[in-house]
């Protein structure tokens, strides 16, 4: 009977829990519910078959996940057979991994009790209302996706041992206090430095460049001087929102009269139930109820349904057309009325009618604005779609210009200035519109203006017809236009090479305790400053790679700073920093979790290497 309970679905929760249920059933191998009658299979893992039906479900769910994640990009990728084949391989790989884990869990004799399954169900947020388990919501969600509580419990019975395994592996990784101390010291270390800067721009001003160098640089770097493909477009835009008009009171009343069910709540009933195994036990419970016993207390004590029993038998509110036949057959009509013993496929039931809510219709005055909005929007959408078809026909019939489409649309086309694929005007910045503009279908011979597009609908309430009015293919700027840019680049490259060579010589001399070259270069070290390892700076990596100084003798090195100058670094002192206890704990936890994940992946790889995996025909049949 519990399998038949239904109530109104919470759509947000439904979307979330649908993913949970599907993943559980596909990946936990509940083959009794998924395997069809076909003999072909996707794979055999140590003799255990992964059926074609399981593989199809896994593939479809992976495809749905990718579509939700990628959005509009998915349609383009899905047209590529290689992409779909990759999804198939990914889905099958997940099924194989799950099967290997189940086999390993079985080998370790990891099991879960009924109580653990019950607590796992109670803990799912999507089955809760205001932080408490809601039996009606639980049944509603499962029924809405076509599953029964027994099936969901079976999936948990298979998946919870895997969670136990993952948790066990996670608990095996830890950091000793000494290791944590060393890591904290390393992460929180501070380094005291001084910097001497070689100005690359000043050196660049002194460099000489000849014509041959400019020509060679131009030939070698033509990709840097490309002018991207450019377009000018004329377009007509249709907007349903702009077509909205204030509806008359007669239209509002007519809509309300024809859609009253949209503004009413169906009659609802609330029941409690006690489910027992035998008729004798049901009669004993019924007698106790007639003698004044508390229904909720008896439900907690005797009911075999683990979900409703915890709630004192409460099944929650159900709309009339969702009340199971077992309950309606009792013909209870008065609040508090208790049925006799009812036979069902899961045992004997005793039902109490807890409450009744009649159908409630909101008056037009209470929903007037919402109805007016609906009438206005529907009228605009109807006009919008009708106009779309007319404009589309006009653009197709007069393919040499947008004049005919302009006349039908009642508006003039708008012409853009030049733009590239990277600088599309915001008004046209929709994937569907950009695809039509840039896929070449609207261009004529040699890139000349060609034809009008068909109507392009975006966001459901806007539409465009576009026409390319001018086009410039990809080109390279002439050398004369970029000579100055090339000259500056060559001078900078030469100056950077000179600066690095000079820095290398200065660092080598400083290491010998001399400063002659430093003085000759006309530079000197600035004030001392302290760097931490987590500081984002161009010099940080070099500073923390330097050998710690010996006594009072600094270590030296060089690198480039954020401005592109070459910087000589003197490392004077290394000190151990400190880390707050909370931050330390978070760091240690993050490292142990990462190590545990690596261990888990290593286990999975070992299971794969030791397994006998045979692939079937189902993968190629998709």
């Amino acid at each position: 009977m519990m399998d038949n309970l239904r109530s109104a679905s919470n759509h947000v929760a439904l979307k979330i829990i649908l993913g949970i249920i599907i993943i559980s059933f596909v990946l936990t191998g509940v083959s009794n519910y998924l395997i069809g009658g076909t003999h072909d299979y996707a794979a055999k893992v140590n003799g255990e078959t992964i059926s074609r039906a399981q593989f199809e479900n896994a593939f479809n769910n992976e495809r749905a996940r990718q579509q939700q994640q990628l959005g509009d990009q998915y349609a383009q990728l899905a047209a590529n057979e290689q992409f779909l084949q990759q999804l198939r391989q990914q889905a099958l790989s997940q099924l194989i991994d799950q099967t290997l884990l189940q086999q390993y869990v079985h080998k370790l004799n990891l099991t879960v009790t009924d109580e653990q399954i019950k607590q796992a169900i109670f803990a799912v947020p999507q089955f809760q209302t205001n932080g408490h388990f809601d039996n009606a919501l639980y049944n509603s969600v499962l029924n809405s996706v076509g599953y029964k509580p027994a099936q969901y419990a079976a999936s948990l019975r298979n998946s919870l041992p895997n969670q136990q395994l993952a948790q066990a592996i996670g608990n095996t990784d830890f950091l000793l206090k000494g290791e944590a101390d060393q890591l904290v010291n390393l992460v929180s270390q501070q380094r005291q430095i001084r910097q001497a800067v070689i100005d690359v721009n000043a050196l660049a001003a002194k460099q000489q460049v000849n014509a041959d160098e400019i020509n060679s640089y131009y030939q070698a770097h033509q990709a840097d001087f490309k002018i991207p493909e450019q377009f000018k477009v004329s377009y007509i835009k249709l907007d349903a929102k702009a077509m909205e008009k204030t509806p008359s009171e007669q239209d509002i009343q007519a809509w309300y009269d024809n859609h009253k069910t949209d503004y009413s709540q169906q009659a609802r009933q609330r029941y409690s139930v006690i489910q027992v195994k035998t008729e004798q036990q049901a009669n004993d419970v019924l007698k106790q109820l007639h003698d004044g016993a508390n229904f909720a207390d008896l439900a907690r004590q005797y009911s075999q349904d683990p979900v409703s029993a915890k709630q004192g038998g409460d099944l929650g509110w159900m709309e009339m057309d969702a009340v199971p036949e077992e309950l309606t057959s009792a013909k209870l009509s008065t609040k508090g009325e208790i049925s006799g013993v009812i036979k069902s496929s899961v045992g004997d039931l005793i039902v109490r009618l807890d409450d009744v809510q009649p159908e409630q219709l909101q008056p037009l005055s209470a929903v007037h604005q919402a109805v007016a909005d609906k009438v206005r929007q529907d009228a605009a959408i109807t006009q919008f779609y009708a106009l779309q078809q007319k404009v589309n026909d006009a653009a197709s019939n007069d393919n040499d210009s947008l004049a005919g489409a302009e006349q039908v649309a009642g508006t003039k086309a708008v012409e853009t200035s030049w733009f590239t694929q990277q600088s599309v005007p915001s008004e046209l910045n929709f994937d569907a519109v950009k695809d039509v503009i840039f896929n070449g279908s609207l261009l004529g011979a040699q890139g000349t203006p060609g034809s009008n597009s068909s109507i392009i609908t975006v966001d459901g309430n806007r539409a465009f017809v576009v026409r390319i009015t001018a086009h410039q293919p990809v080109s390279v700027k002439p050398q004369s236009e970029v000579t100055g840019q090339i000259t500056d680049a060559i001078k900078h490259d030469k100056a950077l090479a000179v600066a690095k060579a000079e820095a290398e010589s200065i660092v080598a001399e400083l290491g010998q305790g001399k400063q002659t070259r430093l003085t000759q270069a006309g530079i000197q070290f600035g004030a001392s400053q302290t760097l931490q390892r987590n500081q984002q700076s161009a010099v940080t990596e070099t500073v923390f790679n330097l050998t710690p100084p010996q006594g009072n003798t600094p270590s030296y090195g060089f690198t480039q700073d954020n401005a592109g100058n070459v910087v000589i670094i003197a490392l004077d002192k290394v000190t151990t920093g400190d880390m707050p206890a909370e931050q330390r704990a978070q760091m240690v936890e993050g490292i142990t979790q990462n190590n545990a994940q690596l261990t888990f992946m290593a286990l999975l790889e070992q299971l794969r290497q030791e397994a006998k995996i045979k692939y079937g025909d189902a993968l190629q049949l998709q």
Side-chain angles (χ1 to χ4, degrees):
M1 188 277 292
M2 294 299 105
D3 303 344
N4 298 325
L5 299 179
R6 296 187 180 183
S7 63
S9 298
N10 181 316
H11 296 300
V12 175
L14 177 60
K15 292 178 181 178
I16 298 172
I17 198 62
L18 175 61
I20 296 175
I21 294 173
I22 294 299
I23 290 173
S24 298
F25 277 85
V26 169
L27 299 185
T28 56
V30 190
S31 56
N32 289 337
Y33 305 119
L34 297 179
I35 297 177
T38 181
H39 296 292
D40 62 307
Y41 61 91
K44 289 185 178 180
V45 182
N46 294 325
E48 183 175 341
T49 299
I50 296 175
S51 72
R52 181 181 181 185
Q54 287 174 282
F55 171 60
E56 287 175 347
N57 275 275
F59 170 57
N60 289 333
N61 285 306
E62 179 62 22
R63 183 165 54 185
R65 188 185 70 83
Q66 292 281 350
Q67 186 172 7
Q68 183 177 16
Q69 180 177 340
L70 297 174
D72 293 340
Q73 297 179 11
Y74 176 80
Q76 299 176 10
L77 292 172
N80 187 327
E81 178 57 34
Q82 185 176 358
F83 172 75
L84 293 180
Q85 186 65 17
Q86 182 180 350
L87 288 189
R88 296 185 187 105
Q89 295 285 359
Q90 187 171 330
L92 183 57
S93 178
Q94 290 173 345
L95 284 171
I96 290 173
D97 289 346
Q98 190 68 23
T99 302
L100 288 170
L101 288 174
Q102 287 176 352
Q103 293 173 349
Y104 187 64
V105 163
H106 182 71
K107 182 179 179 181
L108 296 177
N109 293 319
L110 293 179
T111 59
V112 294
T113 64
D114 291 343
E115 180 63 23
Q116 287 175 307
I117 293 175
K118 182 168 67 174
Q119 293 305 320
I121 293 174
F122 289 158
V124 176
Q126 288 72 34
F127 295 151
Q128 297 176 357
T129 299
N130 297 325
H132 299 284
F133 179 78
D134 187 328
N135 185 64
L137 177 60
Y138 168 70
N139 284 283
S140 173
V141 170
L142 294 189
N143 284 329
S144 296
V145 294
Y147 291 110
K148 299 178 180 180
Q151 292 173 312
Y152 185 57
S155 75
L156 289 178
R157 190 175 296 279
N158 284 322
S159 62
L160 286 178
N162 291 350
Q163 296 178 22
Q164 292 178 346
L165 174 63
Q167 185 176 7
I169 292 175
N171 291 337
T172 62
D173 196 90
F174 59 89
L175 284 179
L176 296 173
K177 183 180 183 302
E179 295 175 324
D181 290 341
Q182 291 179 358
L183 186 60
V184 168
N185 291 339
L186 182 63
V187 171
S188 60
Q189 186 184 95
Q190 298 177 345
R191 296 198 166 196
Q192 189 173 317
I193 66 167
R194 291 167 291 132
Q195 300 182 65
V197 179
I198 300 176
D199 191 333
V200 173
N201 288 332
L203 287 175
K206 302 175 182 179
Q207 306 304 312
Q208 301 296 318
V209 179
N210 59 46
D212 289 340
E213 289 175 318
I214 292 174
N215 184 63
S216 296
Y217 190 98
Y218 177 75
Q219 298 300 328
H221 298 83
Q222 293 217 348
D224 296 340
F225 308 120
K226 280 187 176 180
I227 302 174
E229 186 179 26
Q230 297 184 77
F231 297 83
K232 278 188 178 181
V233 168
S234 289
Y235 66 91
I236 296 173
K237 175 185 175 183
L238 305 180
D239 190 341
K241 185 70 175 176
M243 298 178 184
E244 292 183 4
K245 298 178 181 178
T246 303
S248 67
E249 288 300 321
Q250 291 84 351
D251 291 338
I252 293 174
Q253 183 67 55
W255 174 274
Y256 176 79
D257 291 340
N258 291 328
H259 298 84
K260 285 185 177 180
T261 56
D262 295 343
Y263 305 102
S264 63
Q265 178 180 289
Q266 292 187 31
R268 301 195 302 169
Q269 292 182 334
R270 187 165 191 160
Y271 290 91
S272 290
V273 65
I274 299 175
Q275 173 188 322
V276 294
K277 292 182 178 180
T278 67
E279 184 177 0
Q280 178 60 48
Q281 189 177 15
N283 286 325
D284 290 343
V285 170
L286 188 60
K287 183 178 184 302
Q288 293 183 56
L289 289 171
H290 289 160
D291 290 341
N294 182 274
F295 192 100
D297 291 342
L298 294 180
R300 294 187 183 95
Q301 182 178 357
Y302 295 112
S303 184
Q304 300 299 305
D305 175 32
V307 178
S308 64
K310 188 174 181 180
Q311 310 300 318
D314 183 22
L315 299 177
W317 286 104
M318 289 175 283
E319 294 181 354
M320 293 297 294
D321 57 2
V323 178
E325 183 180 351
E326 290 91 338
L327 303 189
T328 57
S329 66
K331 298 182 179 179
L332 304 178
S333 59
T334 305
K335 287 194 294 184
E337 185 178 359
I338 298 175
S339 72
V341 177
I342 302 173
K343 294 289 185 180
S344 79
S345 59
V346 295
D348 292 277
L349 312 172
I350 299 170
V351 179
R352 183 182 67 187
L353 178 61
D354 294 330
D355 205 351
V356 177
Q357 281 186 354
E359 182 179 6
Q360 298 176 346
L361 175 65
Q362 292 178 285
L364 177 57
S365 59
V367 294
H368 187 277
Q369 187 58 53
V371 175
D373 291 343
K374 185 65 176 175
V375 175
R376 183 177 64 252
Q377 292 165 4
D378 277 15
I381 288 293
T382 300
Q383 181 184 354
F384 172 69
Y385 284 129
L387 186 59
Q388 271 194 69
Q389 186 60 51
K390 293 178 181 178
V391 172
N392 186 71
D393 292 344
S396 177
N397 293 334
D398 181 10
N399 214 7
D400 294 329
S401 74
L402 289 176
E406 287 177 325
Q407 184 175 0
V408 172
T411 185
K412 284 290 185 181
V414 177
E415 185 171 33
T416 69
S417 56
W418 287 106
F419 65 89
T420 67
Q421 293 194 33
Q422 288 71 44
S423 61
V424 179
S426 59
E427 187 81 343
L428 299 176
N429 197 15
F430 299 95
D431 289 342
V433 177
K434 290 188 291 186
D435 181 63
V436 171
I437 294 173
F438 299 132
N439 67 14
S441 62
L442 301 186
L443 287 173
Q446 288 79 48
T448 59
S451 58
N452 300 330
S453 74
S454 299
I455 200 79
I456 309 166
T457 302
V458 298
D459 291 348
N461 60 0
R462 280 174 285 183
F464 295 85
V465 173
V466 298
R467 178 180 181 82
I468 296 174
T469 54
H471 171 259
Q472 290 182 355
V474 176
S475 61
V476 178
K477 293 179 182 179
Q479 183 174 323
S480 59
E481 288 187 14
V482 295
T483 298
Q485 181 181 343
I486 293 173
T487 301
D488 291 342
I490 295 174
K491 285 184 176 182
H492 182 273
D493 290 348
K494 287 184 175 182
L496 183 59
V498 170
K500 287 182 176 180
E502 187 172 25
E504 187 173 7
S505 298
I506 291 173
V507 167
E509 190 183 68
L510 289 170
Q512 299 171 3
K514 303 175 182 179
Q515 296 192 14
T516 304
R517 289 181 178 275
L518 184 70
T519 302
Q520 290 175 346
I523 60 176
Q524 60 184 356
F525 285 107
S528 179
Q529 56 181 301
T530 301
L531 287 184
Q532 295 180 341
R533 189 179 293 274
N534 61 357
Q535 283 182 254
Q536 297 300 316
S537 166
V539 302
T540 300
E541 182 177 355
T542 300
V543 168
F544 281 88
N545 283 333
L546 289 177
T547 302
Q550 300 298 317
N552 295 324
T553 303
S555 295
Y556 297 97
F558 72 92
T559 187
Q560 282 185 264
D561 64 12
N562 292 328
N565 295 317
V566 174
V567 179
I568 299 171
I569 300 168
L571 174 58
D572 297 321
K573 185 179 180 181
V574 175
T575 59
T576 300
D578 195 11
M579 182 179 290
E582 183 179 353
Q583 184 179 348
R584 174 192 175 106
Q586 290 175 349
M587 183 187 71
V588 171
E589 181 182 1
I591 293 172
T592 54
Q593 287 179 351
N594 182 68
N595 290 344
Q597 183 177 3
L598 293 176
T599 303
F600 191 81
M601 296 305 296
L603 169 63
L604 197 54
E605 180 61 29
Q606 181 180 349
L607 293 177
R608 272 185 169 271
Q609 291 177 358
E610 296 175 353
K612 294 181 180 180
I613 302 174
K614 181 180 179 181
Y615 294 94
D617 297 330
L619 182 63
Q620 284 73 37
L621 293 174
Q622 296 300 304

